[in-house]
Amino acid sequence: MSANHAATPEVSALAQAAAQPLAPAAELAKRFPLSASDHRASDTQRQQALDELRFGTVFSDHMAHAHWSYEAGWSQREVVPFAPLTLSPAAAVFHYGQEVFEGIKAYRHEDGSIWTFRPGYNAARLAASCRRLCLPELEHEDFVASIASLVRADNQWVPSKPGSSLYLRPFMIASEAFLGVRSSHEADYYVIASPVGPYFGDKVQAVDIWVTTSYHRAGVGGTGAAKCGGNYAASLIAQEEAYANGCKQVCFLDDVTASHIEELGGMNVFVVRADGSVVTPRLSGTILEGCTRSAIIELLKSEGTSVSEADLTLSALLDDVRSGKVTEIFACGTAAVVTPIGALKGKDFEVRLEAGPVTSHIHQRLTGIQFGKVEDEFGWMYRLA
Ligand SMILES: *Cc1c(COP(=O)(O)O)cnc(C)c1O
């Protein structure tokens, strides 16, 4: 396998931001005062929703919101009843796709307390995505405050079934009613919340991956490193190609040489070698710098595993899987945590893999920390309620 540009990973700007201390949630939550809903779900309705968890189909009673204008900056920080939005059909987001989002979870621990994972990381990444999409940056503590206030208002929506959590979806849209092409002078930021079970169903199951050579997710100088809806819009057709070929997810190659594995539509990728070392594609500018990816790198290094960030050549990877030099490949992200890859398929190849011990160890360790069952020696967890 080619290891050009292999480098010892240093602490990235996002990981650095994640390490900054945050004020306690009870204090931050006051920044987003609650206007309580008078049509909350009944206890029975909520319980029913929490009993049959799927992904992203049911939403809690409230949402966080803040408004920004070019003249006045951020204002109207609030938590309000979850409700449809009223926007001008001329709002810039509908025409030019000026939008960014985040994904982060609230986990209930056995003692009933509610925690989240590295919120400073997501705060810094949202700000970085905003800079790329010419949207206004939200102060890191405002981001955490919006989550804290929403989760405290809707704390009963945080499920307690094993492996389940309250998925939080912060997003920002360009809301100025103006069809001229320039960055919007008005923006709205929201956080919605959805109780979720495990992303790919009940059991940790290996997923088959389609490696597309027809499409790219991102290009050099483009928005690949930002978490924006546009990247997803661009990836859907490849996902359709994956379905047509019996695969659940798609893996993209770099757009310059079309020879390096970059990532899936919404998850980063790791490769485990028979010698115990682990490799993940280096941050090329066209890869999204996942919070889970960063945590796994730190975790493995702390256990003495050799982890490198490098260009991963597809042809060499396929050879190494066939010869047994590569034993496991897994994908990772907040929604699905750690998911073993059972096959890599493309137009003229197919290799199969087993879910292995490194993948399941990382899954156990990471979810153990998130659910408060394994000591958080990294200081990743932040108490929301
Ligand atoms: C969100 C996302 C990931 C995973 O990031 P996490 O912070 O680990 O959830 C990976 N790739 C893409 C394209 C993403 O949008």
Side-chain angles (χ1 to χ4, degrees):
M1 190 179 319
S2 119
N4 302 331
H5 311 284
T8 309
E10 342 145 5
V11 179
S12 74
L14 297 186
Q16 252 164 29
Q20 294 300 308
L22 291 164
E27 205 174 295
L28 287 181
K30 292 184 196 142
R31 295 189 185 193
F32 283 70
L34 169 66
S35 302
S37 171
D38 55 12
H39 50 274
R40 292 172 186 240
S42 69
D43 288 349
T44 326
Q45 284 169 326
R46 191 182 57 247
Q47 202 47 54
Q48 194 178 350
L50 295 182
D51 283 343
E52 15 181 286
L53 294 175
R54 277 178 294 162
F55 188 87
T57 51
V58 174
F59 300 93
S60 69
D61 292 316
H62 296 91
M63 61 187 184
H65 170 244
H67 179 72
W68 178 88
S69 77
Y70 184 78
E71 294 77 23
W74 286 105
S75 64
Q76 296 171 33
R77 293 173 186 81
E78 58 190 354
V79 169
V80 292
F82 181 93
L85 306 179
T86 302
L87 286 168
S88 166
V93 63
F94 297 133
H95 307 278
Y96 310 124
Q98 203 186 352
E99 186 263 3
V100 297
F101 70 95
E102 271 303 322
I104 183 168
K105 285 172 168 174
Y107 308 89
R108 188 180 293 283
H109 288 188
E110 216 154 73
D111 65 359
S113 60
I114 301 170
W115 301 71
T116 193
F117 185 72
R118 304 178 88 192
Y121 193 101
N122 299 74
R125 188 170 64 190
L126 180 73
S129 300
C130 284
R131 287 194 292 276
R132 179 62 183 83
L133 274 288
C134 294
L135 283 161
E137 283 180 50
L138 191 67
E139 211 187 289
H140 293 188
E141 286 206 326
D142 269 341
F143 174 86
V144 181
S146 65
I147 285 170
S149 184
L150 176 60
V151 170
R152 292 165 78 85
D154 285 346
N155 64 79
Q156 291 178 306
W157 284 91
V158 183
S160 45
K161 266 198 212 168
S164 66
S165 56
L166 186 65
Y167 183 80
L168 302 162
R169 170 52 61 86
F171 63 101
M172 197 189 297
I173 56 172
S175 49
E176 185 185 4
F178 177 54
L179 294 183
V181 179
R182 61 151 167 74
S183 58
S184 178
H185 287 182
E186 280 179 69
D188 285 276
Y189 164 77
Y190 298 91
V191 187
I192 55 174
S194 174
V196 296
Y199 191 82
F200 289 117
D202 271 348
K203 266 195 12 218
V204 177
Q205 256 181 348
V207 295
D208 290 1
I209 303 290
W210 176 254
V211 183
T212 182
T213 45
S214 317
Y215 306 102
H216 294 284
R217 188 189 79 92
V220 173
T223 56
K227 206 168 177 71
C228 64
N231 291 340
Y232 280 71
S235 76
L236 297 177
I237 192 168
Q239 174 96 10
E240 293 298 323
E241 192 187 43
Y243 292 153
N245 287 281
C247 294
K248 267 203 172 167
Q249 294 276 318
V250 64
C251 178
F252 292 93
L253 302 175
D254 75 286
D255 71 307
V256 175
T257 67
S259 61
H260 302 139
I261 295 261
E262 292 221 304
E263 61 171 322
L264 310 190
M267 285 195 270
N268 297 115
V269 178
F270 280 81
V271 168
V272 182
R273 301 180 63 85
D275 65 8
S277 64
V278 173
V279 195
T280 189
R282 74 184 168 92
L283 300 172
S284 57
T286 48
I287 290 178
L288 197 282
E289 188 179 345
C291 180
T292 319
R293 173 189 183 278
S294 146
I296 290 171
I297 291 173
E298 243 186 90
L299 235 169
L300 288 172
K301 287 178 80 183
S302 80
E303 295 177 343
T305 302
S306 143
V307 188
S308 58
E309 299 178 59
D311 286 339
L312 280 176
T313 308
L314 174 64
S315 57
L317 180 63
L318 296 174
D319 286 346
D320 288 351
V321 173
R322 289 190 190 103
S323 72
K325 281 190 194 149
V326 161
T327 49
E328 301 172 43
I329 305 180
F330 64 86
C332 68
T334 299
V337 200
V338 171
T339 303
I341 290 176
L344 289 178
K345 294 190 203 177
K347 287 208 173 97
D348 49 9
F349 62 86
E350 173 167 349
V351 295
R352 302 212 61 88
L353 295 120
E354 299 289 330
V358 177
T359 304
S360 68
H361 165 71
I362 293 168
H363 185 271
Q364 289 301 322
R365 182 100 196 268
L366 204 54
T367 52
I369 292 172
Q370 290 168 338
F371 287 95
K373 299 197 186 300
V374 169
E375 198 206 327
D376 171 25
E377 61 183 81
F378 305 94
W380 285 334
M381 300 309 287
Y382 173 81
R383 185 165 180 172
L384 290 170

